[in-house]
Amino acid sequence: KNEMNKILNYSFTKKKITKEEIHKLTNSYEKESYFELVDSCLSKNKPAVQKIINNTSFNKSDSIIIIRSFLSRIKRLLELKKLFVKIGNIEGTISNFRPQIFWKEKEVVKKQIQTWPLDEVYSLFEETLHLEIKFKKNSDLSNNLIFDFILNTTDKSNN
């Protein structure tokens, strides 16, 4: 209903609406990065996670990409946490990490390092691997599985 209202309101100012305009109106987060969803989750930014999930149309093939994105980010977080244990401060950890952290990601990475104890990162990695197995066994439930995992992980990291 909300999507139809968007189209209706937009059509008051135009005589003709293109397919591309309709697509933009109904899927405002089309270009939303999978990594942004994962980073928001790992940074315990539940409002951002919910906004991305609610405003993006995900299909079954997106679920495996999200899982793989989680695995990639968790592996990076594991290495960052190990380096943090050696160095002892976040700034030094981020500046000495290789490959180098892109400047736009530094604040998110700091938040993730502060949020997750090393043992919980290992547990999260194991959970993500199990999620991937569940997905492969029953891809019909892929979106339910991945979004339950994301929301539970966001809540878990808040504790």
Side-chain angles (χ1 to χ4, degrees):
K1 186 175 178 180
N2 287 337
E3 304 304 316
M4 291 302 293
N5 285 335
K6 284 182 194 177
I7 295 168
L8 183 62
N9 289 332
Y10 187 75
S11 68
F12 285 132
T13 60
K14 294 188 103 183
K15 289 183 179 181
K16 203 173 190 184
I17 301 175
T18 65
K19 186 176 179 180
E20 289 79 22
E21 289 172 319
I22 291 173
H23 190 68
K24 285 180 186 177
L25 288 169
T26 58
N27 196 3
S28 61
Y29 280 83
E30 177 188 11
K31 299 195 186 292
E32 195 71 58
S33 166
Y34 299 113
F35 281 123
E36 188 169 344
L37 174 61
V38 172
D39 283 337
S40 294
C41 177
L42 293 176
S43 297
K44 68 179 183 176
N45 188 346
K46 192 168 186 173
V49 168
Q50 290 173 330
K51 185 175 181 181
I52 294 168
I53 289 173
N54 290 333
N55 292 321
T56 309
S57 297
F58 292 101
N59 58 42
K60 290 179 187 179
S61 63
D62 292 328
S63 293
I64 195 66
I65 296 169
I66 294 169
I67 292 169
R68 302 308 294 165
S69 299
F70 254 105
L71 289 170
S72 171
R73 287 298 203 233
I74 293 169
K75 286 177 186 177
R76 179 178 80 173
L77 184 55
L78 277 171
E79 295 306 313
L80 283 161
K81 291 297 288 186
K82 289 176 190 176
L83 187 58
F84 178 71
V85 168
K86 288 180 187 175
I87 293 177
N89 72 57
I90 292 176
E91 294 296 330
T93 300
I94 291 173
S95 63
N96 287 305
F97 186 75
R98 298 295 177 256
Q100 200 168 26
I101 304 290
F102 188 56
W103 67 270
K104 285 184 175 181
E105 297 180 311
K106 286 186 179 184
E107 289 305 313
V108 170
V109 170
K110 283 181 192 177
K111 181 74 172 165
Q112 292 172 0
I113 292 170
Q114 293 169 337
T115 299
W116 291 91
L118 185 58
D119 61 328
E120 288 185 27
V121 179
Y122 279 113
S123 296
L124 186 60
F125 184 70
E126 294 276 326
E127 287 177 48
T128 309
L129 291 174
H130 291 297
L131 176 65
E132 185 176 21
I133 292 167
K134 285 181 189 176
F135 169 79
K136 289 177 179 176
K137 286 182 180 177
N138 189 355
S139 64
D140 290 336
L141 298 175
S142 60
N143 283 355
N144 292 347
L145 291 170
I146 191 67
F147 296 132
D148 283 349
F149 173 78
I150 290 170
L151 294 172
N152 288 336
T153 299
T154 304
D155 286 339
K156 182 189 314 180
S157 66
N158 278 324
N159 295 333

